[in-house]
Amino acid sequence: MKPFLGINLSSDEGNELLNGNEFLVAKPSAILTNALDSVSGKTQKIVKKSQLPLPLRVVMYACELIALIIIGGLLRADVSPAESYHNAPWLYWLFAVCVIIGILLFILGKRKERQVLEDTETKRTLSDSDAIEKEILAELSVPDNAREVDVLSFCYKEENETIKMAQKGVPLTNMSFHIFTDSENLYLADLDGKYAFPLSSIQVIQTIRKPITVMDWNKDEPFNKGIYKQYKLTSDNIGSIHCKSYHIMELSYRGETYGIYIPSYELPIFEELTGLKAQ
């Protein structure tokens, strides 16, 4: 099976090409692509400007880490807080200093971010970016009611006709797409293009009860609230999301089997649009 959006490292460790070009049916015009690249460069500068300088961010993260290590050690200690303070008062003072510095830097960072985002030039750039993105989606014929889903991308190797994720412990990339269907195809579209999968080629949705970690959380609703609470997702201190399982939507196309890998929290949309139930 060939993973859609997978990167095959079986014969070339330096390969960077994503699987799936055979399903690509439309790309945005060069004019819109160039316009998006231009505004994206400005957006990246805004993001950089809105952050604390790197040395201060390092200090903030270091303080958070030290505070967590100290509190963890104190909770595991076999002595009372009073006794542990008597034995190592400097540990409590270090904890307090780290917490204070961490909180102050966090507040300073949020204040700087707010100031940058409220700037007139920033608002104009973000508005331009939204307008170009809407133009691209319209050019790709993405309906206004298309929902957004995450699809997994990862490096892999083929071993005895089995797909093995090549980078253990590395979060998978969860790429965001607009998903919709017509009478013939299921479509996945983003700002780089539109992929079409014949509905008649989709065979089954498999459930893989193995944990995975995805790089980001792309939803407006928190991962542990609302419709996502049922999936018992967890997060770590760098913002990666831990899922207890994932799914593979298998399809047969031109004599080859492909798999679209999706995180557990996206299953209902794929089931609804394909009419299949995960096995």
Side-chain angles (χ1 to χ4, degrees):
M1 181 174 62
K2 182 183 289 187
F4 174 67
L5 300 182
I7 301 174
N8 190 351
L9 304 182
S10 300
S11 58
D12 181 4
E13 290 281 353
N15 181 34
E16 296 180 352
L17 297 177
L18 295 172
N19 296 335
N21 275 342
E22 50 268 64
F23 298 103
L24 187 64
V25 294
K27 297 187 69 173
S29 64
I31 293 176
L32 285 178
T33 298
N34 292 336
L36 181 64
D37 289 342
S38 176
V39 78
S40 294
K42 295 179 182 179
T43 302
Q44 289 174 3
K45 290 180 181 179
I46 290 172
V47 171
K48 186 175 182 180
K49 186 179 177 181
S50 69
Q51 296 176 330
L52 288 174
L54 180 59
L56 290 181
R57 297 205 307 273
V58 171
V59 171
M60 182 177 70
Y61 295 140
C63 286
E64 292 176 356
L65 179 60
I66 292 171
L68 288 172
I69 292 173
I70 292 174
I71 196 68
L74 292 174
L75 290 174
R76 289 192 300 271
D78 294 329
V79 296
S80 66
E83 188 175 353
S84 63
Y85 179 79
H86 177 77
N87 294 334
W90 62 271
L91 207 56
Y92 283 81
W93 285 106
L94 178 60
F95 173 76
V97 169
C98 287
V99 169
I100 292 171
I101 293 176
I103 291 175
L104 288 176
L105 289 176
F106 177 79
I107 294 172
L108 184 62
K110 286 297 182 182
R111 180 182 178 185
K112 184 177 183 182
E113 179 182 328
R114 185 169 60 253
Q115 289 174 338
V116 171
L117 292 178
E118 290 176 353
D119 180 74
T120 302
E121 184 62 28
T122 296
K123 291 180 178 179
R124 183 181 299 114
T125 299
L126 295 178
S127 177
D128 290 344
S129 178
D130 287 342
I132 294 170
E133 289 179 7
K134 289 179 180 178
E135 284 189 61
I136 290 176
L137 295 177
E139 187 176 70
L140 295 175
S141 300
V142 177
D144 293 336
N145 62 350
R147 287 170 286 183
E148 292 187 40
V149 295
D150 289 350
V151 177
L152 302 176
S153 175
F154 56 91
C155 298
Y156 71 95
K157 291 183 178 181
E158 296 175 332
E159 298 180 7
N160 299 322
E161 300 184 354
T162 301
I163 301 298
K164 298 287 187 181
M165 294 183 184
Q167 298 167 310
K168 293 183 178 179
V170 177
L172 309 185
T173 303
N174 47 325
M175 301 175 66
S176 184
F177 287 89
H178 296 266
I179 189 171
F180 57 99
T181 60
D182 60 18
S183 60
E184 296 182 352
N185 297 307
L186 179 143
Y187 297 95
L188 291 172
D190 65 3
L191 299 177
D192 293 321
K194 180 171 69 174
Y195 298 89
F197 307 90
L199 289 169
S200 60
S201 71
I202 300 173
Q203 307 294 314
V204 67
I205 301 177
Q206 299 281 4
T207 299
I208 311 300
R209 302 191 187 282
K210 292 182 179 180
I212 59 167
T213 300
V214 299
M215 193 170 295
D216 301 297
W217 184 246
N218 298 324
K219 312 296 184 182
D220 293 329
E221 190 168 13
F223 68 90
N224 55 357
K225 302 291 184 181
I227 63 173
Y228 301 112
K229 188 175 182 179
Q230 62 181 305
Y231 299 103
K232 299 179 180 179
L233 307 173
T234 58
S235 179
D236 54 33
N237 56 3
I238 62 171
S240 297
I241 302 297
H242 305 283
C243 309
K244 295 182 179 297
S245 63
Y246 62 97
H247 304 275
I248 306 174
M249 187 176 75
E250 296 183 11
L251 56 149
S252 179
Y253 184 73
R254 295 179 180 175
E256 189 162 6
T257 300
Y258 294 81
I260 299 177
Y261 286 62
I262 57 177
S264 57
Y265 53 86
E266 300 291 20
L267 178 63
I269 294 178
F270 281 86
E271 287 185 328
E272 176 187 336
L273 294 180
T274 62
L276 298 173
K277 288 294 182 181
Q279 299 181 1

